[in-house]
Amino acid sequence: MRRHHLVSVLLLTVSAMACSESSSSSNTPPTTGAVTFWQDVGPIYNEKCVRCHQEGGIAPFRLDNYADAKANAALELTRITEGTMPPYHMVHDGSCGSFNDAATLTDQQKATIQAWVAGAQAEGTKVTLTLPPQPMLADALELKTPTFSPVAQGTALALNDEYRCFLMDPPNTADAFLTGYDVNPGDATIVHHVLAFLVDPNQAGGGGQTNAEIMKALDDQSPDRLGWPCFGAAGEGVKVSGVPVTWAPGQGVVNYPDGMGVPVRTTDKLVVQIHYNLADPTAAGKSDSTTVHLRFADQVSRRLSFMLPDPFLDTLGKKDGDGKPAPDSLMPGLSDTSYTWTVTGKDLGLAGTTSVDLVAVMPHMHGRGIRQQMRLGSPDNLACASHLEHWDFHWQEYYFYKTPPAITANTTVQVTCEYDTSKDTTPVLPGWGTRNEMCLNVLMVALPAQ
């Protein structure tokens, strides 16, 4: 995920990961009488949680009936009190950016659930609730990566990992705009992330060759294995023109905002990059075939650009006075240590007077992450724009602004990532491996209307 490979490529990735996208209506705790499941708690769960917590849903237990809700009442109270369920970890009280937060519980809804769990956990009179449909992508076309058995690369920057790229034709039969997607890993225990890059095969890449020639050469280097290694983007020297799909653990169906999409021509190629995490010894010998569902529209009213700045990762290219690698690192043995980087809009690819709207952000770190904050503005007047208070690798999503901030070439972007390195005894390096670290904040920006 190196910045210089991925900055300013067309993309919109809107996460629908949280357990609900329902309206933000609230339930007021009863002022008299006992709080019951069916009359008071069930409707809240149905609105905010049951998309995931129902038969066949992604959650580990159901909340669409009294028996299951009562059996898991203690856990429900803990998660609600911690603020980890529904899984929306961005601070959204208006103190640091203005975010769409319809999936979260209101204070009144929390009070109702807490009163029920702490009380008699009465069932009440059973009623029929219309369950929300499980997230699905209607009218989608399908891509499926070949069955592949990854092998850990054993390097310092990817000790237990393999990045592999697979070349595929887009499934649309006419030039169109991607407006949503869904990714289903064949074996989620080994898939760290999935990206799909748009590549024009006839475009000039590195070394004076076309993208098609570069990709063929990369593929030919390992004739006994499918695809090719691709740390960073679609492979060394391949020029990427878009990233219409990004998937990380916890993410569900992704619906782009109405009227927005990513152009996909029938002459394009899709390069699907899969990061396989093989740190668990039981992963040895496992195989995967991942399915990517894509939905298209004939036209959209606005396009977006996808930026992945991570100057921490970029320090892998630093050298010391003797020409030896000298990347930045995190100090070991600390319960809370941080890394801060600063770039400008110009560094991200903006030029002249162009002003784009920051539609959404998606923080990304690895296993040591604690929290992340981003500030925007001028060098002497930076304002908080996003604050992820609780980082959870297994619940990653895009957080969308109610009022998108503007970014120009002169805008300063500053990101601080905090980590727990208390279990480490040596400096923690940036890198592509799951056991290395990153300090990435994905920026989705709406381009000026054409």
Side-chain angles (χ1 to χ4, degrees):
M1 291 188 177
R2 287 175 288 183
R3 172 169 59 87
H4 56 276
H5 282 302
L6 302 180
V7 166
S8 298
V9 290
L10 293 175
L11 173 74
L12 171 67
T13 311
V14 180
S15 173
M17 182 200 70
C19 286
S20 172
E21 296 170 345
S22 307
S23 65
S24 57
S25 61
S26 60
N27 291 48
T28 303
T31 56
T32 60
V35 180
T36 70
F37 174 78
W38 289 110
Q39 278 63 57
D40 304 302
V41 175
I44 299 173
Y45 285 167
N46 200 57
E47 177 189 344
K48 296 294 179 75
C49 306
V50 170
R51 276 185 179 270
C52 297
H53 289 271
Q54 60 174 292
E55 184 69 31
I58 65 172
F61 56 85
R62 296 170 58 179
L63 288 176
D64 59 353
N65 65 85
Y66 171 70
D68 285 306
K70 183 177 181 181
N72 293 283
L75 180 58
E76 295 155 35
L77 180 58
T78 298
R79 296 290 184 260
I80 290 168
T81 303
E82 292 174 343
T84 56
M85 282 290 160
Y88 192 95
H89 304 312
M90 186 67 70
V91 172
H92 55 280
D93 59 6
S95 63
C96 185
S98 176
F99 289 91
N100 293 321
D101 58 353
T104 61
L105 294 167
T106 67
D107 289 342
Q108 291 179 335
Q109 289 172 330
K110 290 179 181 178
T112 298
I113 297 169
Q114 289 166 349
W116 179 70
V117 174
Q121 299 178 14
E123 179 176 8
T125 302
K126 185 175 181 177
V127 299
T128 299
L129 298 173
T130 302
L131 300 183
Q134 295 182 42
M136 63 175 296
L137 196 69
D139 302 320
L141 303 177
E142 182 179 295
L143 289 177
K144 199 174 185 68
T145 64
T147 300
F148 182 76
S149 297
V151 178
Q153 298 304 287
T155 66
L157 303 179
L159 183 63
N160 303 286
D161 310 80
E162 179 166 21
Y163 279 61
R164 204 74 181 176
C165 276
F166 305 100
L167 183 64
M168 311 187 79
D169 291 318
N172 49 310
T173 57
D175 292 352
F177 293 87
L178 185 71
T179 62
Y181 67 86
D182 187 22
V183 175
N184 302 117
D187 189 338
T189 66
I190 61 173
V191 177
H192 178 285
H193 76 245
V194 177
L195 302 177
F197 299 98
L198 277 172
V199 175
D200 179 350
N202 297 315
Q203 184 178 3
Q209 294 181 301
T210 65
N211 280 330
E213 292 170 331
I214 296 170
M215 290 186 294
K216 183 179 186 306
L218 290 171
D219 200 6
D220 289 346
Q221 289 176 9
S222 52
D224 57 333
R225 304 186 77 216
L226 298 169
W228 62 86
C230 52
F231 291 106
E236 191 66 34
V238 179
K239 181 71 173 180
V240 170
S241 58
V243 189
V245 172
T246 61
W247 178 91
Q251 192 181 85
V253 173
V254 174
N255 290 293
Y256 297 172
D258 291 342
M260 296 182 181
V262 180
V264 180
R265 302 174 303 173
T266 56
T267 55
D268 289 325
K269 295 292 185 180
L270 283 172
V271 176
V272 178
Q273 179 202 79
I274 302 182
H275 173 186
Y276 296 104
N277 169 23
L278 307 170
D280 187 337
T282 64
K286 288 187 175 181
S287 62
D288 167 78
S289 176
T290 287
T291 303
V292 182
H293 304 274
L294 305 171
R295 185 187 62 210
F296 294 91
D298 293 335
Q299 297 291 334
V300 297
S301 59
R302 201 169 182 185
R303 302 180 184 185
L304 291 94
S305 179
F306 182 74
M307 303 174 180
L308 289 86
D310 187 352
F312 182 41
L313 187 62
D314 290 342
T315 66
L316 289 175
K318 286 177 59 176
K319 306 287 185 180
D320 63 15
D322 297 324
K324 297 179 180 179
D328 292 348
S329 62
L330 304 176
M331 186 177 295
L334 299 175
S335 61
D336 192 338
T337 186
S338 65
Y339 186 91
T340 298
W341 55 258
T342 303
V343 299
T344 66
K346 183 178 179 180
D347 296 327
L348 297 176
L350 299 179
T353 59
T354 300
S355 178
V356 297
D357 295 326
L358 179 58
V359 176
V361 294
M362 179 182 174
H364 179 76
M365 297 175 283
H366 288 174
R368 301 171 184 82
I370 300 173
R371 63 183 62 88
Q372 186 191 98
Q373 185 177 94
M374 181 178 70
R375 303 170 75 199
L376 299 176
S378 60
D380 57 351
N381 186 25
L382 292 172
C384 189
S386 67
H387 180 176
L388 188 82
E389 177 55 32
H390 175 75
W391 165 251
D392 187 338
F393 180 85
H394 300 286
W395 286 107
Q396 299 184 58
E397 66 172 300
Y398 289 86
Y399 297 92
F400 284 80
Y401 288 95
K402 294 178 181 177
T403 305
I407 298 179
T408 69
N410 296 323
T411 300
T412 295
V413 180
Q414 184 180 86
V415 169
T416 297
C417 296
E418 296 181 52
Y419 308 89
D420 180 356
T421 63
S422 58
K423 296 181 180 179
D424 294 289
T425 57
T426 59
V428 178
L429 294 173
W432 298 279
T434 302
R435 291 186 175 175
N436 298 105
E437 272 302 337
M438 292 185 176
C439 183
L440 168 66
N441 198 14
V442 178
L443 309 178
M444 300 180 189
V445 298
L447 302 176
Q450 296 180 337

